[in-house]
Amino acid sequence: MASAAAESGRELPAFAGSRDPSAPRLAYGYGYGPGSLRELRAREFRRLAGTVYLDHAGATLFSQSQLESFTNDLMENTYGNPHSQNISSKLTYDTVEQVRYRILAHFHTTAEDYTVIFTSGSTAALKLVAEAFPWVSQGPESSGSQFCYLTDSHTSVVGMRNVTMAINVTSTPVRPEDLWSAEERGASVSDPDCQLPHLFCYPAQSNFSGVRYPLSWIEEVKSGRLHPVSTPGKWFVLLDAASYVSTSPLDLSAHQADFVPISFYKIFGFPTGLGALLVHNRAAPLLRKTYFGGGTASAYLAGEDFYIPRPSVAQRFEDGTISFLDVIALKHGFDTLERLTGGMENIKQHTFTLAQYTYVALSSLRYPNGAAVVRIYSDSEFSSPEVQGPIINFNVLDDKGNIIGYSQVDKMASLYNIHLRTGCFCNTGACQRHLGISNEMVRKHFQAGHVCGDNMDLIDGQPTGSVRISFGYMSTLDDVQAFLRFIIDTRLHSSGDWPVPQTHADTGEAGAPSAESQADVTPAVMGRHSLLPQEDALTGSGVWNNSSTTVNAVPVAPPVCDVARTQQIPSEKAAGVLQGALGPLVVTNLYLYPIKSCAAFEVTRWPVGNQGLLYDRSWMVVNHNGVCLSQKQEPRLCLIQPFIDLQQRIMVIKAKGMEPIEVPLEENSEQTQIRQSRVCADRVNTYDCGEKISSWLSTFFGRPCHLIKQSSNFQRNAKKKHGKDQLPGTMATLSLVNEAQYLLINTSSILELHQQLNTSDENGKQELFSVKDLSLRFRANIIINGKRAFEEEKWDEISIGSLHFQVVGPCHRCQMICIDQQTGQRNQHVFQKLSESRETKVNFGMYLMHTSLDLSSPCFLSVGSQVLPVLKENVEGHDLPASEKHQDVTS
């Protein structure tokens, strides 16, 4: 039975067969003939070639013709400030008013019933309602207004309660199941004479799970037939439509909510930073406003308390000059959307069809033991677009039912160029409800260091969030199948057996062959194979002796072609290597990385500074916007080879096909212009290394780039690791590293991973990875000859020669370890195998920081220096080999 479950779990259902035959037929595409959607993607979204974008609930994408139409408009017309009276200003004012009418028409209403107030987004619209609603404070003579909101609401809705709390208005969260129950019970007693204003907020569509709440609630709450709480008064309804209207039509003539906040980038991708509050005209006069800005006053006095607001509701609430060019861009968004798709009803059908198929396919995936591969969080069974939007929220499970952290899934997805969303999606209420996270657990997670938006996905084995995929009007079946193949590849097949999704030249899309002409998906069933482990000398590289200095160094130079395969050896010999010698722990390799994300510079003896190895990650390459480039965006960075010459005080940079170029090690303080940049959310002061090296890098990468260096008089302080005491002595400082001054890895850990990656089948395949290749991928500063794999994770402190280090924690790995540091080529197997073997977090290597450092005399790290570790207090000595116990004692 389990075998049958496994086979069915590895086959994707036919696209046509995923739908209920009795259900109304749903549309895929926009009815312009075979291949039209593929042609639309190729014409309007060329930038998506090879990319699977599945975060449309976060932000959908603008089309090329939309942007071209808008820019042509700007080039052909002169738009001035709408508050002026000249011809260009009049053109702007009239165009903006036409856009207001277009927005109202899009939502099937007119200016007779609704007013459009432009805001910076739906969040600003919600804040406007919170501050302007006619709340009545609780007091001796009044029970006061009620602010009620569905717990399945965006953070920006929940945040309204802080405004109401400040004026003594009660806020009450309402669970979806409670409102559904109240709806089933029918009408409740109400007092028609009580006019105390209350506000109920709920989303038309959950941004967490995509469930669609009944639009009928609007009228039921307003009429008194449905009460969020049993309080007499007059109820107003705010319908949070930001998520819903991105893929569905909203008819405000039929569902007349009092307030409707929206963000336009959710609908057609551009412009961002522009939204609106649609206010029903019967509720508009009740809104109160205190602050007044430019353009909102009919008259006022600077010296006296005299102010007369403009009569127009929109003008009264739009403080200052609106983003009028962005407003004009909306017209082109609506025009393009209508032209490409035929309207929102078609988008609704198309996106739901994709979501329904994906839901069925994901639900059917099973491990060989019959266990589910994913756990989907939903209040619907994806039966129709009336109850479910094109959003699927889930967590990936292992074959024992344990949740795999969302951060790990996200990193794996990025290897397949799949863009999805992880976390709680600014919807803590829904996250708690679906994942079973109590209020106390949320507090404990925060105390453990978890905050919204971070990568701390599992705490004590419990998830802090989940994975979300969502579809937009340009999403295709190819996108869906590429995503499903990614799940099958990473969960149901050994990492070496399933091909990486490739870009197809005929479609320019990632993943499966074109699905528009192929309804059924090839079953995903593959055999398991293995390769013999191989031996490679991790420390066998030659050493260049720079006789002009006390430093011995050798660059790790990438070869012209791919890494050559090494000769096979008997497995018995490889097993001997894995056991390691019984001699003392020593440093076998030292590396520094002068330019962040560029090639390593190997040394045998090197000076130590207060930030780590001297000149380690002192420079970085930035794009034309000053944003740091890493190998995640530009894998060819690893082909840039820096060489440090301490005597001549220069860094020589080389790359294939380029003439070597020199950069001075220190800035000229008289000519240096300090600029600010960011590294891992930290502000750093840097300076540009000049146009010459900028031109060199730009030529190599084929796009504008600059080389910048951290200013020598700028101090970047290390963050305190959670659970660690403040490092003794002085405040630890960092260069342009991500987290810590040093990264240490263990040869035995590399060898274990090497063996897992190169296990052999009966045909005796050659090894896929050399040990040297693997070691370079982890970009460590210090490599040691450990006795056991991952023993370094049990250490609390280490000494290397006269230097002492605190072990501050493991290095959480990302997809950069999939990049061959000698060729720049990607291969997902390393991350996938490491993920499988480590089970929880994909950790490899340990971060080190100086515990104390006396720089009154030169300090050096050297290959061959003895390493003396101190075990963590909770590690039992009897679990370790005798040699390790001895080291603990002697240290």
Side-chain angles (χ1 to χ4, degrees):
M1 183 174 179
S3 176
E7 289 303 311
S8 65
R10 291 179 181 181
E11 297 181 12
L12 300 183
F15 179 56
S18 67
R19 291 171 286 187
D20 183 352
S22 63
R25 180 171 178 79
L26 298 173
Y28 173 74
Y30 302 107
Y32 299 134
S36 63
L37 187 56
R38 193 184 322 131
E39 293 169 3
L40 184 151
R41 276 280 287 261
R43 182 180 68 252
E44 297 284 354
F45 301 94
R46 289 199 299 268
R47 63 190 185 277
L48 283 181
T51 298
V52 179
Y53 185 83
L54 297 176
D55 188 25
H56 293 274
T60 198
L61 304 174
F62 60 83
S63 66
Q64 181 172 321
S65 60
Q66 173 190 347
L67 207 58
E68 289 173 348
S69 178
F70 172 52
T71 54
N72 289 339
D73 189 349
L74 296 186
M75 295 298 103
E76 296 170 1
N77 295 283
T78 301
Y79 293 107
N81 190 312
H83 292 165
S84 300
Q85 299 299 316
N86 56 57
I87 295 174
S88 59
S89 299
K90 185 67 165 58
L91 175 62
T92 302
Y93 177 83
D94 290 343
T95 306
V96 167
E97 295 309 300
Q98 285 299 123
V99 173
R100 292 189 205 271
Y101 297 148
R102 183 64 180 273
I103 293 169
L104 293 173
H106 182 79
F107 294 110
H108 303 276
T109 188
T110 67
E112 303 275 325
D113 292 323
Y114 281 89
T115 296
V116 176
I117 300 173
F118 288 114
T119 65
S120 62
S122 57
T123 294
L126 291 163
K127 184 171 179 284
L128 188 158
V129 175
E131 295 173 341
F133 189 78
W135 306 107
V136 175
S137 300
Q138 189 175 6
E141 298 180 359
S142 173
S143 59
S145 297
Q146 285 271 353
F147 169 53
C148 294
Y149 57 91
L150 209 65
T151 53
D152 187 355
S153 287
H154 193 278
T155 302
S156 299
V157 171
V158 180
M160 295 171 69
R161 72 185 182 198
N162 277 24
V163 176
T164 63
M165 287 168 59
I167 55 175
N168 200 25
V169 168
T170 303
S171 297
T172 305
V174 180
R175 300 185 306 168
E177 50 267 39
D178 292 339
L179 208 58
W180 280 320
S181 297
E183 187 179 28
E184 292 174 359
R185 289 195 301 268
S188 57
V189 179
S190 61
D191 182 358
D193 297 326
C194 181
Q195 295 297 303
L196 199 62
H198 307 302
L199 181 64
F200 173 58
C201 301
Y202 80 99
Q205 173 179 290
S206 169
N207 74 310
F208 182 91
S209 66
V211 65
R212 289 180 167 170
Y213 292 104
L215 296 178
S216 59
W217 283 358
I218 298 171
E219 183 55 33
E220 290 178 19
V221 170
K222 289 171 61 64
S223 66
R225 296 194 302 272
L226 178 65
H227 282 187
V229 294
S230 299
T231 301
K234 183 175 182 179
W235 283 93
F236 295 83
V237 176
L238 184 152
L239 181 72
D240 180 5
S243 179
Y244 181 88
V245 300
S246 62
T247 56
S248 285
L250 176 62
D251 188 347
L252 290 180
S253 67
H255 307 289
Q256 298 190 359
D258 298 289
F259 309 102
V260 183
I262 57 175
S263 286
F264 293 106
Y265 75 95
K266 301 276 189 180
I267 304 175
F268 30 68
F270 177 86
T272 58
L274 181 66
L277 177 66
L278 278 57
V279 184
H280 200 286
N281 291 337
R282 64 172 171 252
L286 301 176
L287 297 179
R288 302 174 300 192
K289 191 166 182 280
T290 51
Y291 172 83
F292 65 92
T296 65
S298 293
Y300 76 96
L301 289 173
E304 294 183 18
D305 185 12
F306 173 74
Y307 161 69
I308 304 298
R310 288 190 178 273
S312 163
V313 174
Q315 289 180 329
R316 193 186 316 155
F317 282 91
E318 291 171 352
D319 291 305
T321 301
I322 61 174
S323 186
F324 56 88
L325 293 181
D326 285 340
V327 171
I328 293 169
L330 298 181
K331 172 191 179 299
H332 302 281
F334 285 120
D335 287 347
T336 304
L337 203 65
E338 183 71 27
R339 175 172 53 81
L340 295 180
T341 68
M344 296 303 297
E345 182 62 34
N346 291 341
I347 294 174
K348 170 184 169 183
Q349 299 293 328
H350 169 76
T351 54
F352 177 75
T353 298
L354 293 176
Q356 186 184 57
Y357 169 64
T358 308
Y359 171 79
V360 171
L362 280 178
S363 301
S364 69
L365 294 179
R366 292 288 185 274
Y367 285 104
N369 64 1
V373 174
V374 300
R375 178 179 299 155
I376 298 176
Y377 305 111
S378 177
D379 289 310
S380 82
E381 295 183 352
F382 287 71
S383 57
S384 87
E386 308 308 318
V387 298
Q388 178 66 44
I391 293 174
I392 302 175
N393 197 302
F394 63 97
N395 266 316
V396 179
L397 310 175
D398 65 16
D399 57 2
K400 300 179 183 65
N402 300 314
I403 288 177
I404 297 170
Y406 60 74
S407 178
Q408 187 170 333
V409 176
D410 190 23
K411 290 174 182 177
M412 282 300 301
S414 69
L415 299 179
Y416 290 72
N417 213 6
I418 295 174
H419 302 195
L420 39 74
R421 182 81 174 264
T422 60
C424 270
F425 323 102
C426 295
N427 191 333
T428 299
C431 193
Q432 285 186 257
R433 175 170 168 260
H434 285 286
L435 274 65
I437 303 174
S438 66
N439 292 348
E440 184 59 29
M441 289 170 67
V442 171
R443 294 185 177 95
K444 287 183 177 179
H445 291 171
F446 176 73
Q447 292 168 358
H450 172 58
V451 296
C452 294
D454 69 11
N455 292 326
M456 193 178 291
D457 49 15
L458 293 172
I459 297 178
D460 296 329
Q462 299 301 311
T464 63
S466 55
V467 181
R468 185 185 74 185
I469 60 173
S470 50
F471 302 99
Y473 76 85
M474 76 295 297
S475 296
T476 67
L477 185 56
D478 289 339
D479 293 331
V480 172
Q481 291 183 338
F483 167 74
L484 293 172
R485 288 180 184 276
F486 151 69
I487 296 293
I488 291 172
D489 184 356
T490 56
R491 301 315 310 165
L492 296 179
H493 299 278
S494 60
S495 61
D497 294 339
W498 188 257
V500 184
Q502 299 294 322
T503 300
H504 294 272
D506 59 335
T507 65
E509 295 184 24
S514 174
E516 297 182 29
S517 59
Q518 180 183 344
D520 294 334
V521 181
T522 304
V525 181
M526 300 291 289
R528 296 182 176 272
H529 306 285
S530 60
L531 299 174
L532 277 172
Q534 303 289 316
E535 178 186 6
D536 194 354
L538 184 63
T539 61
S541 59
V543 176
W544 167 63
N545 185 358
N546 184 350
S547 58
S548 61
T549 71
T550 59
V551 178
N552 299 318
V554 59
V556 180
V560 173
C561 58
D562 289 346
V563 180
R565 298 180 186 271
T566 59
Q567 185 177 1
Q568 288 190 340
I569 62 168
S571 59
E572 292 84 4
K573 185 174 181 181
V577 172
L578 288 176
Q579 292 174 6
L582 295 179
L585 289 174
V586 296
V587 175
T588 60
N589 300 78
L590 283 176
Y591 298 97
L592 61 148
Y593 306 82
I595 306 175
K596 188 177 177 68
S597 257
C598 291
F601 180 51
E602 185 171 11
V603 298
T604 57
R605 186 169 184 262
W606 196 256
V608 169
N610 60 4
Q611 296 177 339
L613 290 171
L614 192 63
Y615 298 116
D616 181 45
R617 295 171 174 94
S618 291
W619 292 264
M620 65 183 179
V621 180
V622 297
N623 67 9
H624 62 290
N625 290 322
V627 176
C628 175
L629 292 179
S630 76
Q631 290 182 29
K632 295 178 187 178
Q633 303 90 28
E634 183 50 83
R636 290 181 298 162
L637 281 165
C638 69
L639 305 181
I640 302 291
Q641 304 168 247
F643 302 75
I644 300 286
D645 189 322
L646 292 177
Q647 184 178 33
Q648 297 188 49
R649 312 296 297 164
I650 60 171
M651 175 173 62
V652 180
I653 305 174
K654 298 181 180 180
K656 181 185 176 184
M658 304 290 292
E659 289 294 323
I661 187 170
E662 296 180 0
V663 175
L665 295 183
E666 303 298 340
E667 68 264 38
N668 183 336
S669 57
E670 295 180 358
Q671 301 178 2
T672 299
Q673 182 176 357
I674 300 298
R675 61 172 63 184
Q676 297 200 338
S677 188
R678 291 179 70 83
V679 173
C680 295
D682 290 342
R683 178 186 61 83
V684 292
N685 283 358
T686 64
Y687 67 90
D688 196 302
C689 295
E691 287 301 319
K692 187 177 178 181
I693 182 61
S694 173
S695 177
W696 192 93
L697 290 168
S698 300
T699 300
F700 181 80
F701 290 115
R703 55 171 166 162
C705 295
H706 294 266
L707 183 69
I708 63 175
K709 183 178 186 292
Q710 183 173 348
S711 177
S712 58
N713 58 7
F714 176 78
Q715 180 170 298
R716 178 189 172 206
N717 294 328
K719 297 183 179 71
K720 180 182 176 183
K721 296 287 286 185
H722 187 80
K724 293 283 185 183
D725 294 331
Q726 181 63 53
L727 297 174
T730 184
M731 171 70 73
T733 60
L734 301 178
S735 61
L736 300 177
V737 296
N738 285 357
E739 292 193 45
Q741 294 168 336
Y742 300 87
L743 177 61
L744 175 145
I745 62 174
N746 176 2
T747 304
S748 293
S749 304
I750 288 285
L751 289 170
E752 179 171 295
L753 179 61
H754 174 258
Q755 186 179 45
Q756 293 168 350
L757 285 165
N758 295 304
T759 51
S760 174
D761 66 3
E762 59 185 7
N763 297 321
K765 289 184 180 178
Q766 288 186 320
E767 69 171 4
L768 300 175
F769 303 93
S770 69
V771 176
K772 187 72 171 181
D773 169 23
L774 286 178
S775 66
L776 292 177
R777 288 170 183 254
F778 292 103
R779 299 178 64 80
N781 297 110
I782 303 168
I783 300 181
I784 62 167
N785 63 337
K787 306 302 180 295
R788 295 197 317 176
F790 304 107
E791 64 180 300
E792 62 275 17
E793 296 180 354
K794 300 175 183 178
W795 299 345
D796 189 53
E797 300 174 17
I798 66 168
S799 295
I800 302 177
S802 62
L803 298 174
H804 305 284
F805 303 89
Q806 176 78 45
V807 180
V808 295
C811 178
H812 304 313
R813 291 299 178 171
C814 68
Q815 58 270 32
M816 267 183 62
I817 64 173
C818 295
I819 298 171
D820 187 328
Q821 295 299 297
Q822 301 187 70
T823 66
Q825 299 299 310
R826 295 180 188 269
N827 185 309
Q828 94 283 10
H829 297 319
V830 177
F831 188 94
Q832 186 170 333
K833 179 55 68 177
L834 190 61
S835 172
E836 293 170 1
S837 63
R838 301 315 308 274
E839 294 184 352
T840 53
K841 283 289 187 181
V842 187
N843 296 335
F844 199 97
M846 302 301 290
Y847 285 124
L848 308 180
M849 299 283 278
H850 292 297
T851 55
S852 61
L853 186 65
D854 181 7
L855 293 177
S856 59
S857 59
C859 295
F860 294 86
L861 271 175
S862 301
V863 170
S865 296
Q866 187 168 1
V867 178
L868 298 175
V870 176
L871 293 176
K872 295 178 181 178
E873 292 181 359
N874 60 350
V875 175
E876 294 293 335
H878 58 74
D879 292 335
L880 302 172
S883 59
E884 295 184 37
K885 293 181 186 179
H886 175 70
Q887 290 168 9
D888 184 30
V889 173
T890 58
S891 64

